[in-house]
């Protein structure tokens, strides 16, 4: 609705079990194109792991859904094959050199998405990025808690996070203390804008 008829939205969902739900949700919006794909640094296929039948808890890192499986009746980890594409190459195929907004919520795979879109991000001088920070998912994916922030800061983004009903700035100097004080089982959205 916000983009209007002249805007374009490209939505990616790698889980084939819930992709039809995404298609249904955007069916009334001709400006939205949905792809049953995940974004990464290179094309290929990977298993997407899920906590039992809870398809909302899915990750390419098996360890993350394992932290949720005890909530499930079956107590099992399930997986499906998910297709991945290299972000920059896929965008080029769509005829897109730059984007205005990027929302990333991929349970520990955030840095793979961002690295795969590096050229597109560099060309997008006025980009606003919304990215989930979930320290448990990051660590399950083999990342440190600070890597996501360091990538964003190294790519000249100003960072903030929501607290007390407004966005609070987050600088490189604040980062270590902020991460240490962050609830290890929690998550938040990091807002990143170009300098």
């Amino acid at each position: 609705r916000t983009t209007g008829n002249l805007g374009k939205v490209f939505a990616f969902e790698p889980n084939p079990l819930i992709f039809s739900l995404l298609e249904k949700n955007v069916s009334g919006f001709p400006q939205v194109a949905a792809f049953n794909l995940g974004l990464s640094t290179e094309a290929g296929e990977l298993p997407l792991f899920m906590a039992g039948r809870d398809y909302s808890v899915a990750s390419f890192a098996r360890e993350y859904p394992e932290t949720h499986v005890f909530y499930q009746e079956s107590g099992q980890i399930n997986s499906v094959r998910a297709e991945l594409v290299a972000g920059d190459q896929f965008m080029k195929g769509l005829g897109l050199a730059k984007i205005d907004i990027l929302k990333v919520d991929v349970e520990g795979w955030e840095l793979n998405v961002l690295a795969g879109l590096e050229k597109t991000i560099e060309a997008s001088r006025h980009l606003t990025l919304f990215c989930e920070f979930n320290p448990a998912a990051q660590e399950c994916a083999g990342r440190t808690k600070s890597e996501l922030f360091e990538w964003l800061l190294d790519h000249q983004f100003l960072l903030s996070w929501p607290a007390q009903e407004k966005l609070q700035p987050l600088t490189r100097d604040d980062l270590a203390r902020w991460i240490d004080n962050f609830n290890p089982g929690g998550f938040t959205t990091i807002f990143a804008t170009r300098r």
Side-chain angles (χ1 to χ4, degrees):
R1 289 187 183 98
T2 301
T3 66
N5 292 333
L6 298 179
K8 296 289 182 198
V9 177
F10 301 92
F12 296 84
E13 174 53 63
N15 189 339
L17 299 175
I18 62 171
F19 179 69
S20 60
L21 180 59
L22 172 61
E23 287 183 307
K24 180 181 175 185
N25 287 342
V26 300
S27 64
F29 300 98
Q31 68 271 39
V32 179
F35 302 94
N36 189 193
L37 301 166
L39 295 173
S40 191
T41 54
E42 55 187 44
E45 275 191 358
L46 282 177
L48 182 67
F49 299 99
M50 294 164 289
R53 294 187 177 272
D54 185 354
Y55 302 148
S56 67
V57 180
S59 177
F60 291 112
R62 180 185 177 100
E63 292 80 5
Y64 186 65
E66 283 179 347
T67 66
H68 289 74
V69 78
F70 58 87
Y71 295 117
Q72 306 301 312
E73 202 171 289
S74 71
Q76 294 180 334
I77 295 293
N78 297 317
S79 69
V80 293
R81 297 299 292 176
E83 186 178 349
L84 299 172
V85 293
D88 284 328
Q89 185 177 352
F90 193 80
M91 293 298 172
K92 186 176 180 181
L94 293 173
L96 295 174
K98 64 181 185 69
I99 54 179
D100 299 312
I101 296 173
L102 178 62
K103 179 184 180 291
V104 184
D105 182 353
V106 290
E107 310 304 343
W109 202 252
E110 288 80 10
L111 283 163
N112 298 71
V113 171
L114 295 174
L117 287 170
E118 193 156 12
K119 290 179 184 174
T120 305
I121 290 169
E122 286 302 313
S124 304
R125 294 174 44 112
H126 302 290
L127 176 64
T128 298
L129 199 151
F130 305 86
C131 194
E132 184 186 57
F133 172 63
N134 179 331
Q138 292 290 318
E139 290 185 322
C140 287
R143 304 291 189 169
T144 67
K145 293 178 185 178
S146 64
E147 272 185 269
L148 175 62
F149 299 99
E150 290 165 1
W151 193 97
L152 292 167
L153 290 167
D154 288 347
H155 286 79
Q156 306 304 306
F157 283 98
L158 294 173
L159 307 182
S160 57
W161 68 290
Q164 301 164 351
E165 299 183 15
K166 65 179 186 176
L167 291 177
Q168 305 290 334
L170 185 59
T171 67
R172 196 179 295 271
D173 293 338
D174 302 329
L175 191 56
R177 186 178 73 254
W178 185 86
I179 290 172
D180 285 343
N181 292 327
F182 191 81
N183 176 2
F187 56 89
T188 190
T189 298
I190 299 301
F191 295 80
T193 54
R194 286 290 191 200
R195 294 182 189 273

